[in-house]
Amino acid sequence: MLSRNRARPALFAAAATVAGLVLAGLPATASHAADQESCRPDGLYKTPGVDVPYCSVYDAEGREKMGADHQRRVIGYFTGWRTGKDGTPAYLAPDIPWDKVTHLNYAFAHVDGSNKLSVGADGPTNPATGMTWPGVTGAEMDPGFSYKGHFNLLNKFKKQHPNVKTLISVGGWAETGGYFAADGTRVNSGGFYSMATNADGSVNQAGIDTFATSAVDFIRKYGFNGVDIDYEYPTTMKDAGNPLDWSLSNARRAGLVKGYAVLMKTLREKLDRAGAADGKHYLLSVAAPSSGYLLRGMETFQVQKYLDYVNIMSYDLHGAWNEYVGPNASLFDDGKDAELAAAGVYSASQYGGIGYLNTDWAYHYFRGSMPAGRINIGLPYYTRGFKNVTGGTDGLWGRAPSTNCPAGSGLTKCGDGATGIDNLWHDLDTNGKESPAGSNPMWHAKNLEKGVVGDYVTRYGFPADTKLTGTYARKYDSTLVAPWLWNAEKKVFLSTEDEQSVNAKADYVVRNGIGGTMVWELAGDYRWNAAKGQYEPGSTLTTAMYEKFKSAAPYGAKVSNKAMPTKAVDIGVEFGEFKLGDSNYPITPKVKITNRTKSALPGGTEFQFDYATAAPGNASDQSGFGTKVISSDHTGSNVGGLKGDFHRVSLKLPSWQALAPGASVELSFNYYLPVSTPWNWTVNINGTTYALAGDLARGTTLVEPGSGTGPSPDPTNPTPTPTPTPGTCTAPGWNSTTEYGGNSQVSHKGHSWRAKWWTKGEEPGTTGEWGVWQDLGAC
C-alpha cells in the first residue's frame, strides 16, 4: 500500500526544475448588490448577475474577516490518514491549535470515476465520514451531525471556534490523476486530467460541470466553507507531476492550461451562485507550484482572478529527485544555488541573475497580478534530505548523485535520498520499498538534533535500542533563511524549519503585506515533553506565526502599488498562443488587444501595464509596438530578495494603425522568466488615461471613452460592438459541439450573438442577460 504520508506533494514534486467584472457596483437602485460589491476583494472575478454575499467574509476594504487577533492567515493542512489505526502517532482534530489557525484544509478528497468530488464510500473505516476514536479525549462524536469521522470532529470544534474556516482539498500529488480505493490500492481513473481535459486536448465541459456541481453539494453536506484545488500539475512541461499519471497527462499537455482555467471559472461561478442562495460567500483557493520550471508551462496563471487567495507550495524546491543538495524551502536566493548554476541561470544575461527556486521569487511571481493579501506563502513542517553528500559547505550546495531511483519515479538518475532513521515519514515506491527522501516530521528532526531516540521509533519499525550514528549539528544560512542538520560522519543533510526560520518568514509576511502562511502539514509541528525528554507533535511553529500576526497591520488589499484611474474602458487584453513544453523558451506569446468600446482608438494610443519583478526588466516585442520597460521597482540579481514588485511597460499602437470598435490587433511579446498575468493596465485615449475593465479593480466605473458615462448597468457585461442593422445573418450558425472563444460571433434564430468568454454547448438566447451570449440584434 502506498502510504500517502507525503501525498501533497510527494517525493518527485519538482522532478524537473531547471480580464470584465463589476467594477464600481450596480446603480443606486440595486443598493444591496452595491453594498456587497464594496466588500469584493480587488481583482476578484464576480459571477455576472449574481449578488455574491462578499460581506459575509470580507470587510469594506475587501480584506478577509478572521477575528480580532488574526490579521493574517495561518492555514494548516489537516491530513485524513494520521488516524493512529496503523500504530503510528495519530493527529486528530483535538490536536489542532484551533485558537492559532484561521483556516484548515482537509487533505484529501479526490475526483472519482464519475468526475465527482469524493472521499470514498461511507463506512466505519472511512476516516473522513465514518471512523471513530473511542477513549480518545476530545474525539467524542457530536451526535448533531449525520456523519462521523474527521468531518464530524472538525465541525464540532468549529462550533467552539466560529472564526476558523474549513476547506475541502481535492487532489494532491498522489490523487491528481487517480485516487486510493478503500483497500489502499490506487485507481488510475484520470482524476483532474481527464475530468477537465479530453484526450484530444479539448475542454471536457461536461466533466467540469459534473465536478463543480458535486463540489457545491459536498461542501453544503459536510459544512465546509469552500474548496481548495490541489491539481499537480496543469502545466505543458513534459513529465511534470506524478509519474503514475504521465500516460494520461503527457498526451493532454496542450489542453491542460485551458481545461484548468475553465475548471476554475466554473467552480467560481457555481460557488458564487450557491453562496448567493445560502447567504454566505464560499471560498475558492488552489495550491500553486513555486518552481519557475513548472510555472513556465502554465502560461500566465490565468486562474488567479477566480481565487479568493492562492497558497504557494514554496517548498520541495530541492530534494532527492536530483543530485543538487539544497534547502527545502529557502526564503531567498543566495546566488549559489547549485542546480541553477549548473543550468547556467546565473551566467546567462537574459535571466538578469535572478534565481527562481525560493519563496521570495514565487511570491513576487503571483504578486504581479494579485494583491499581497490574496497570497499566502507555504511552509513545510517536514524535512527533505540526502545521504552520501560530497562538497558544499556542511553539505549545502553539495552533490549526492545516485542511479538507485525509486521504482515508479520515472527517473533514471536521481539524488541519493536519506533513508532509515533519517526518513521516518517515507513513502513506498511501486515495488513496496522505502523511497529515499529524508522525509521526517519536524518533531523527529528536533530529536535528531538533540541526539534523542524518541520512544515512538518502535511504532515506525525501529528497535527500542536504536542508537544514532554521528551528531546532527544544526546549521543556518541567514541569506537564504534556511536551517538544516548536518551529520558529518554519515554525510547526511536534512533541510529543516524551526523557530528562527519561521519567525523570519513571518516577519517577511508582515513586512510585505502578505495575506499569511500555509502549512503542510500541521502534524509535523513540535513541542518539548520535559517529562519524557523528547520532542513530540505540538504547535510551537504555528504559535510563533500567530504571535507575529495577531497585532500586525492589515494586509495589502490592492493589486497596484500606485494610484490608478477611477474610470475604466472595455478594452480586452489576452495573452495566447504560448508554445508548449520545452519549446516555450524564450516565452513569446501573442498579446491580443480588442477594442470593445464604441470609439476608435487612434494610431499612437499608448498602453501601460505592470509585470512582476520575478522576471528581469527586459521584456520587448517583435511587432513594432515599441514595447519597453519604462520603470522598475527592482534591478539586478535577487540575492537576499527582490526589492520591489513591478516593472512598468509602455507600448503604443503603430502610428498608422487605428483600432476600430470591435477590432483587434496582435503583437508578439517576449520575456525570459515566467510571470503571472500582467496587470494594472492603463490606456491614454485623446489625452485622458483610463484603467482597463479586465483588471477587475474595486471602485472603478466603466465608461465610454470621452463620455464619462457607463454603457450599461452592469460593467461585467459591457457592450463591445454596435448593434447591427437587421438584415441577412452573415455569421456562421451556432453549433452545440463547437468551442467558441471570447468575441466569437454566431447567428442563431434570426439574431447575431457574440460570446463574452469561452463557451461550448450553451445555446444563445438561453443564458440570459448575464450569460455568455450577448444579443447583437436581429439579422
Side-chain angles (χ1 to χ4, degrees):
M1 171 183 173
L2 294 176
S3 71
R4 291 189 288 172
N5 279 349
R6 285 294 309 120
R8 195 214 51 79
L11 174 57
F12 299 98
T17 52
V18 176
L21 175 65
V22 176
L23 302 173
L26 299 180
T29 54
S31 58
H32 179 61
D35 289 345
Q36 293 295 334
E37 168 63 15
S38 71
C39 297
R40 180 182 61 84
D42 192 37
L44 178 63
Y45 173 93
K46 172 184 173 293
T47 300
V50 178
D51 184 12
V52 181
Y54 294 115
C55 298
S56 65
V57 170
Y58 296 102
D59 66 17
E61 300 297 322
R63 293 188 178 97
E64 189 171 1
K65 296 181 288 191
M66 298 175 284
D69 60 340
H70 288 286
Q71 297 301 310
R72 308 297 171 94
R73 299 181 192 92
V74 178
I75 302 171
Y77 272 90
F78 173 76
T79 57
W81 53 85
R82 302 205 187 281
T83 64
K85 301 296 185 178
D86 63 353
T88 59
Y91 191 87
L92 307 176
D95 301 312
I96 295 169
W98 284 87
D99 56 340
K100 305 298 193 304
V101 299
T102 59
H103 303 69
L104 294 167
N105 290 351
Y106 180 87
F108 284 106
H110 60 261
V111 182
D112 71 10
S114 300
N115 290 325
K116 293 182 179 180
L117 192 157
S118 175
V119 288
D122 287 336
T125 61
N126 187 315
T129 62
M131 192 174 284
T132 59
W133 293 268
V136 177
T137 302
E140 303 84 4
M141 295 293 130
D142 186 329
F145 300 108
S146 61
Y147 43 85
K148 298 178 181 178
H150 291 309
F151 290 0
N152 181 293
L153 295 180
L154 290 174
N155 282 311
K156 182 180 83 169
F157 281 94
K158 278 173 68 177
K159 290 180 180 179
Q160 303 168 36
H161 303 274
N163 285 324
V164 177
K165 304 179 184 76
T166 55
L167 290 86
I168 184 68
S169 291
V170 192
W173 174 263
E175 294 187 291
T176 280
Y179 62 93
F180 288 100
D183 63 359
T185 59
R186 188 175 188 268
V187 179
N188 298 317
S189 62
F192 280 113
Y193 292 117
S194 58
M195 176 267 286
T197 307
N198 292 314
D200 63 359
S202 62
V203 173
N204 183 2
Q205 187 68 59
I208 288 171
D209 287 339
T210 297
F211 174 78
T213 298
S214 73
V216 169
D217 294 341
F218 190 97
I219 63 174
R220 281 172 161 168
K221 179 177 180 179
Y222 293 115
F224 286 95
N225 299 95
V227 180
D228 175 61
I229 299 297
D230 287 17
Y231 181 170
E232 302 182 19
Y233 303 96
T235 178
T236 66
M237 308 310 291
K238 185 176 183 292
D239 289 353
N242 193 325
L244 298 176
D245 300 335
W246 288 352
S247 61
L248 276 160
S249 59
N250 281 337
R252 289 168 164 80
R253 291 291 174 196
L256 293 184
V257 176
K258 186 175 183 180
Y260 186 49
V262 175
L263 169 64
M264 302 312 297
K265 180 177 184 291
T266 304
L267 277 169
R268 177 79 278 160
E269 294 187 341
K270 287 186 181 289
L271 289 170
D272 281 354
R273 293 188 181 101
D278 298 348
K280 54 185 176 182
H281 175 64
Y282 289 119
L283 300 174
L284 178 61
S285 67
V286 300
S290 59
S291 160
Y293 178 87
L294 291 171
L295 289 169
R296 196 176 95 199
M298 294 183 74
E299 299 184 358
T300 62
F301 202 82
Q302 297 94 316
V303 305
Q304 89 289 333
K305 62 186 175 183
Y306 305 122
L307 309 176
D308 288 86
Y309 49 79
V310 63
N311 298 321
I312 309 174
M313 294 186 286
S314 42
Y315 37 70
D316 287 343
L317 294 169
H318 292 287
W321 43 87
N322 63 36
E323 64 189 293
Y324 301 103
V325 179
N328 186 15
S330 63
L331 180 57
F332 299 122
D333 186 62
D334 66 351
K336 303 173 185 177
D337 187 306
E339 182 174 349
L340 297 178
V345 170
Y346 296 126
S347 58
S349 61
Q350 63 266 32
Y351 290 120
I354 292 178
Y356 53 78
L357 294 178
N358 57 86
T359 300
D360 176 74
W361 181 89
Y363 160 69
H364 281 91
Y365 170 91
F366 289 101
R367 180 67 183 92
S369 59
M370 302 181 79
R374 286 175 52 211
I375 303 170
N376 309 302
I377 65 169
L379 282 78
Y381 283 1
Y382 67 94
T383 70
R384 287 288 185 201
F386 303 79
K387 65 180 184 293
N388 298 320
V389 176
T390 60
T393 302
D394 297 321
L396 179 66
W397 304 137
R399 305 281 284 277
S402 175
T403 55
N404 186 28
C405 301
S409 68
L411 301 176
T412 56
K413 182 179 180 181
C414 56
D416 199 357
T419 56
I421 198 69
D422 302 323
N423 196 32
L424 201 70
W425 265 7
H426 65 268
D427 280 332
L428 302 179
D429 67 18
T430 54
N431 287 336
K433 296 182 179 180
E434 175 186 2
S435 288
S439 181
N440 305 280
M442 279 309 310
W443 41 267
H444 178 58
K446 293 296 289 185
N447 282 330
L448 293 177
E449 178 186 343
K450 204 172 183 67
V452 170
V453 177
D455 62 6
Y456 51 81
V457 298
T458 57
R459 299 164 70 180
Y460 288 93
F462 295 94
D465 60 352
T466 296
K467 305 294 182 185
L468 299 180
T469 301
T471 299
Y472 295 82
R474 179 188 181 271
K475 307 294 180 178
Y476 188 84
D477 188 290
S478 58
T479 300
L480 294 167
V481 183
W484 71 97
L485 303 181
W486 172 241
N487 188 316
E489 183 174 342
K490 295 173 66 175
K491 303 300 181 185
V492 164
F493 175 102
L494 296 177
S495 180
T496 62
E497 295 287 339
D498 57 25
E499 290 100 315
Q500 185 176 6
S501 62
V502 167
N503 278 319
K505 291 180 179 182
D507 286 338
Y508 173 87
V509 166
V510 173
R511 184 169 66 247
N512 288 282
I514 297 172
T517 55
M518 171 272 284
V519 169
W520 180 272
E521 57 168 302
L522 287 172
D525 203 350
Y526 58 84
R527 70 179 181 92
W528 173 249
N529 184 332
K532 288 188 175 183
Q534 66 182 30
Y535 285 95
E536 296 176 345
S539 59
T540 297
L541 301 179
T542 303
T543 299
M545 288 187 288
Y546 164 76
E547 292 294 336
K548 289 281 187 178
F549 295 161
K550 68 179 181 179
S551 59
Y555 64 62
K558 301 287 286 184
V559 182
S560 180
N561 58 9
K562 61 177 103 37
M564 293 289 289
T566 58
K567 294 180 179 179
V569 292
D570 189 24
I571 297 174
V573 179
E574 180 182 3
F575 288 74
E577 298 185 35
F578 287 83
K579 295 176 183 177
L580 303 181
D582 289 334
S583 299
N584 63 4
Y585 180 82
I587 307 171
T588 55
K590 298 289 187 182
V591 181
K592 183 178 181 180
I593 300 174
T594 302
N595 182 9
R596 297 174 182 155
T597 75
K598 298 177 181 178
S599 304
L601 304 181
T605 296
E606 182 183 20
F607 292 85
Q608 292 187 9
F609 62 87
D610 290 336
Y611 74 89
T613 52
N618 55 2
S620 60
D621 79 77
Q622 303 169 3
S623 309
F625 284 69
T627 300
K628 61 181 179 180
V629 174
I630 57 176
S631 66
S632 291
D633 294 342
H634 177 90
T635 57
S637 78
N638 65 329
V639 172
L642 292 158
K643 304 303 186 290
D645 298 333
F646 300 114
H647 302 295
R648 189 71 177 166
V649 175
S650 168
L651 63 86
K652 296 178 181 179
L653 296 179
S655 59
W656 46 266
Q657 186 165 17
L659 198 59
S664 299
V665 66
E666 285 189 346
L667 66 144
S668 294
F669 193 54
N670 187 71
Y671 54 103
Y672 295 93
L673 283 176
V675 296
S676 60
T677 308
W679 216 256
N680 302 327
W681 283 80
T682 60
V683 58
N684 187 288
I685 305 174
N686 297 321
T688 300
T689 300
Y690 302 92
L692 297 195
D695 277 355
L696 317 177
R698 286 167 49 91
T700 307
T701 304
L702 186 65
V703 301
E704 280 296 329
S707 70
T709 60
S712 65
D714 184 357
T716 304
N717 299 280
T719 304
T721 308
T723 302
T725 302
T728 303
C729 294
T730 57
W734 173 77
N735 188 304
S736 63
T737 62
T738 299
E739 296 185 24
Y740 296 100
N743 296 314
S744 297
Q745 291 194 21
V746 299
S747 58
H748 187 62
K749 293 184 176 179
H751 280 239
S752 293
W753 306 84
R754 182 187 68 82
K756 300 170 190 171
W757 52 80
W758 183 95
T759 185
K760 179 182 177 182
E762 297 182 87
E763 182 182 359
T766 66
T767 60
E769 179 184 1
W770 312 108
V772 61
W773 289 107
Q774 178 186 355
D775 189 354
L776 302 180
C779 60

